[in-house]
Amino acid sequence: MIWMTELWRILEESFQEYSKRQSVGQHNVNANSPSVSMGINNLDSLVESSKLSASAPEFVPTSAYQNDVQPFYEDNEDTFIAPSLADMVRDFLCHLSSSPGMFESDVEHITSVLNSYVTTVELLAELVDLIYTESTAIPNFAYTGARLCNYLSHHLNLSPPSGNFRQLLLQKCQKEFELRDAAVQGDPDTQKKFHAFVLFLGELYLHLEIKSGKGALNRAHVLLFALKDLLNTLLSSPVDANIICAVKLLKLTGSALDDAWKERGNPFMEELIQRIETIVLDATCSRDVRQMLLKLVELRSSDWGRVCAAAASNATPDNDPNYFMNEPTFYTEDGTPFTAADPEYAEKYQELMERQDYFHDFAGENEIENDEDDFDDEMDPEIEEAFENFCLESERKRQQ
């Protein structure tokens, strides 16, 4: 090979140069000494007896093939590592959490992917745990999580004898339910997780549908009795956090629970409201929480807001003398009041709106400052908690 020929040429030139230096020599070295002559003779014989050849095959060390390993590609272009079920589910849930309006258009694709991945009992159980954990951990995701659970319960293909998706989910909820007495009196973190579970169970009651023998879809009535016991547990330890959770649950499910209990002739809602009124009078909860309880009692007295809605839908100026009672009062430029009952209401209102638009640009910073002054110094506890959760979630997404 070429490189062997070059090497041989360099060796010969080096030897010739060395020989010249030895013959021309230096005054302090005896060129005729026996040791030098012996070295030169040995070197000559070594060159003459060498079997090196420029046409010899390429030399490869025997240790090169001792380790039979697969080639490594830094870019991983030729390899594909399938994502784990946990990573895949978290990506799906993160997408639905950030874009809840995409649920209807994306849930079919998500279910199709899960059907191709979840093929064993172990993976099905892992899926249930993942969705439950994320639905109770991601702020404000309980609603979307419950809707996803309902869709998967009807469209996941895997349904082993040990339990389908819905059955495993209810078993998971049952385990958390049995820990309620300890959780309601636990430390703040334990209480927070328990409250998240309570609200998720309320969403499941509203959205999880079970097909009856006749094909009709009904709510999971087993959750009705679970929510009753959870409300009793929360109110048995009337600290602010537990009461706020109970109020949220009743605002969420109160009308549905009330209707279901009335159908069964169960007076539990009346008993619950009486208990709440007692807490308002006797418990040591904060002023804001008392106000929340009073508003809840007022909401229930109006049939959870449905009375006002029904009355408003049927009322007309002809059959309801108080039709315009709750309408706002406006004032003309000269200070004359007028309402929707005024025959010239439309004309005066249009004039008022035009004048408001005309002066809108002149409001500027003064209007903003006045609006800020209108806010109360203290927020409602429920609004404050929602605002804190929003800030934490925004910070988490910013850091990702």
Side-chain angles (χ1 to χ4, degrees), residues 179-305:
L179 302 175
R180 64 190 184 281
D181 292 329
V184 79
Q185 297 179 353
D187 57 73
D189 289 339
T190 302
Q191 288 187 0
K192 185 176 181 180
K193 292 180 181 178
F194 174 67
H195 297 158
F197 159 69
V198 170
L199 296 178
F200 177 62
L201 203 67
E203 294 286 5
L204 279 180
Y205 175 70
L206 295 178
H207 296 98
L208 187 62
E209 297 174 323
I210 300 178
K211 187 175 294 186
S212 64
K214 298 181 180 180
L217 295 175
N218 301 311
R219 287 195 173 107
H221 293 302
V222 65
L223 299 180
L224 176 66
F225 304 102
L227 292 176
K228 174 183 175 180
D229 291 339
L230 289 173
L231 284 168
N232 281 329
T233 302
L234 289 168
L235 297 179
S236 66
S237 180
V239 296
D240 284 2
N242 290 334
I243 294 177
I244 291 174
C245 180
V247 170
K248 287 182 178 180
L249 179 61
L250 285 172
K251 284 183 177 181
L252 175 66
T253 63
S255 59
L257 295 177
D258 209 348
D259 293 342
W261 285 324
K262 286 179 180 178
E263 289 178 3
R264 290 167 171 74
N266 191 327
F268 177 68
M269 186 58 73
E270 284 75 13
E271 297 173 0
L272 187 64
I273 295 300
Q274 292 176 4
R275 188 171 182 180
I276 289 175
E277 292 173 344
T278 302
I279 291 175
V280 172
L281 296 174
D282 300 336
T284 58
C285 54
S286 65
R287 176 180 59 85
D288 292 333
V289 173
R290 289 174 188 268
Q291 190 67 23
M292 291 177 62
L293 292 174
L294 291 174
K295 290 181 179 179
L296 179 66
V297 174
E298 182 181 353
L299 180 63
R300 199 265 174 170
S301 65
S302 66
D303 194 20
W304 307 101

Side-chain angles (χ1 to χ4, degrees), residues 114-155:
L114 291 177
N115 272 326
S116 63
Y117 203 101
V118 180
T119 56
T120 65
V121 176
E122 293 76 15
L123 287 174
L124 181 62
E126 183 182 356
L127 176 64
V128 171
D129 288 339
L130 287 168
I131 294 180
Y132 170 84
T133 300
E134 298 298 318
S135 297
T136 55
I138 301 177
N140 303 318
F141 189 70
Y143 167 75
T144 305
R147 294 179 65 196
L148 179 62
C149 288
N150 179 61
Y151 192 90
L152 293 178
S153 68
H154 294 286
H155 295 88

